[in-house]
Amino acid sequence: SLLQLKLWNKYRVSNIPSLIFIDASSGKVVCRNGLLVIRDDPEGLEFPWGPKPFSEVVAGPLLRNNGQTLDSSALEGSHVGVYFSAHWCPPCRSLTRVLVESYRKIKEAGQKFEILFVSADRSEDSFKQYFSEMPWVAVPYADEARRSRLNRLYGIQGIPTLIVLDAKGEVITRQGRVEVLNDVECREFPWHPKPVLELTDSNAVQLNEGPCLVLFVDSEDDGESEAAKQLIQPIAEKIIAKYKAKEEEA
């Protein structure tokens, strides 16, 4: 029915089963990954499962690949890329290769930036092998509860996923993967979402995220695509502002 379709679209459900908790009084999503919640907290001790700040969920020791540990408080004041990935997944491995270069460029430009690897590897050994290629920090593989809490916090439905946070731990973009692949020189870092994008192979994945307006223009005439952009830019900005005011994702 139409109502069912509206609910699927409203909550951007792309696979089933999917369990989403909402606050009945405000209608806001409390938690997207309800299935993980009831698996991790069958007794309901953490009810009502609302979003906690990143700093609280990540709290604890983090690893470097040389065996050194540091406290998660070391991330404070930096932009953070929370990187959900695993060695068994080929798109993850190819993203990691690009990301290592991006990380180096951003650090060399003097930006405060750290990446946190949250592994979905199937064993400690494959985690260690994969992590040995990474110059950043990771949640210890053995700390399954913390890895799971981070998955829950961001409603991760597939890997690789790169969530970029600002220095306060607020989400700038969930589309870090697309941004890194589209902006190899990292000129746009920290990748605040643009209201209007030019459609490319690497950002087409965003067509699955929700309703999209796609405007086709004659590519022979460069002036035409610029004019089209000018036309839809203010409309897009208005829509984004409206959602921001409601504290919802556009």
Side-chain angles (χ1 to χ4, degrees), residues 142-240:
D143 195 343
E144 205 176 324
R146 199 165 20 143
R147 289 191 290 125
S148 188
R149 280 199 298 274
L150 284 159
N151 273 281
R152 267 164 46 196
L153 179 62
Y154 298 115
I156 302 303
Q157 293 190 338
I159 55 171
T161 295
L162 178 67
I163 312 257
V164 182
L165 310 179
D166 66 15
K168 295 195 184 99
E170 301 289 329
V171 174
I172 292 176
T173 178
R174 301 177 58 87
Q175 298 292 340
R177 174 192 185 182
V178 171
E179 299 292 356
V180 163
L181 296 175
N182 265 352
D183 179 25
V184 177
E185 292 304 313
C186 307
R187 290 197 181 98
E188 308 278 337
F189 177 82
W191 302 301
H192 288 278
K194 290 193 188 76
V196 179
L197 289 174
E198 196 159 316
L199 193 59
T200 64
D201 284 352
S202 56
N203 68 25
V205 62
Q206 286 175 257
L207 296 171
N208 298 329
E209 295 283 307
C212 297
L213 172 69
V214 184
L215 182 59
F216 292 86
V217 293
D218 184 356
S219 61
E220 301 296 305
D221 172 15
D222 281 343
E224 192 179 328
S225 63
E226 199 40 54
K229 217 173 197 173
Q230 301 292 332
L231 177 72
I232 56 177
Q233 183 83 16
I235 301 169
E237 283 173 0
K238 207 166 168 179
I239 292 168
I240 284 172

Side-chain angles (χ1 to χ4, degrees):
S1 77
L2 188 61
L3 178 61
Q4 284 170 318
L5 193 62
K6 275 185 171 169
L7 287 167
W8 277 70
N9 285 337
K10 180 175 172 63
Y11 298 115
R12 298 199 308 281
V13 174
S14 56
N15 50 5
I16 54 172
S18 197
L19 176 61
I20 295 167
F21 295 114
I22 58 173
D23 175 346
S25 57
S26 66
K28 280 196 182 137
V29 172
V30 174
C31 170
R32 287 197 167 280
N33 260 9
L35 295 169
L36 270 185
V37 166
I38 55 176
R39 190 197 75 188
D40 290 354
D41 183 23
E43 307 287 312
L45 302 176
E46 292 178 40
F47 182 81
W49 304 304
K52 295 186 166 75
F54 169 70
S55 57
E56 188 181 315
V57 176
V58 78
L62 302 176
L63 294 178
R64 289 205 177 277
N65 65 14
N66 61 5
Q68 278 184 319
T69 60
L70 68 162
D71 189 72
S72 57
S73 59
L75 300 175
E76 284 166 22
S78 292
H79 283 83
V80 177
V82 190
Y83 183 36
F84 298 85
S85 187
H87 190 262
W88 53 262
C89 145
C92 292
R93 292 200 299 275
S94 54
L95 179 62
T96 297
R97 285 193 289 275
V98 179
L99 199 50
V100 167
E101 284 305 301
S102 303
Y103 178 75
R104 187 178 56 75
K105 284 174 188 158
I106 293 164
K107 301 280 267 193
E108 280 175 4
Q111 302 263 19
K112 293 189 80 177
F113 180 51
E114 197 46 74
I115 293 177
L116 174 67
F117 172 40
V118 183
S119 167
D121 287 293
R122 291 172 176 152
S123 72
E124 176 101 37
D125 282 345
S126 70
F127 161 75
K128 280 183 177 151
Q129 183 196 341
Y130 193 29
F131 187 41
S132 70
E133 303 163 22
M134 300 179 183
W136 45 73
V137 299
V139 176
Y141 185 79
D143 195 343
E144 205 176 324
R146 199 165 20 143
R147 289 191 290 125
S148 188
R149 280 199 298 274
L150 284 159
N151 273 281
R152 267 164 46 196
L153 179 62
Y154 298 115
I156 302 303
Q157 293 190 338
I159 55 171
T161 295
L162 178 67
I163 312 257
V164 182
L165 310 179
D166 66 15
K168 295 195 184 99
E170 301 289 329
V171 174
I172 292 176
T173 178
R174 301 177 58 87
Q175 298 292 340
R177 174 192 185 182
V178 171
E179 299 292 356
V180 163
L181 296 175
N182 265 352
D183 179 25
V184 177
E185 292 304 313
C186 307
R187 290 197 181 98
E188 308 278 337
F189 177 82
W191 302 301
H192 288 278
K194 290 193 188 76
V196 179
L197 289 174
E198 196 159 316
L199 193 59
T200 64
D201 284 352
S202 56
N203 68 25
V205 62
Q206 286 175 257
L207 296 171
N208 298 329
E209 295 283 307
C212 297
L213 172 69
V214 184
L215 182 59
F216 292 86
V217 293
D218 184 356
S219 61
E220 301 296 305
D221 172 15
D222 281 343
E224 192 179 328
S225 63
E226 199 40 54
K229 217 173 197 173
Q230 301 292 332
L231 177 72
I232 56 177
Q233 183 83 16
I235 301 169
E237 283 173 0
K238 207 166 168 179
I239 292 168
I240 284 172
K242 187 182 90 177
Y243 279 95
K244 209 168 190 164
K246 289 199 280 188
E247 291 179 20
E248 286 178 14
E249 275 187 67

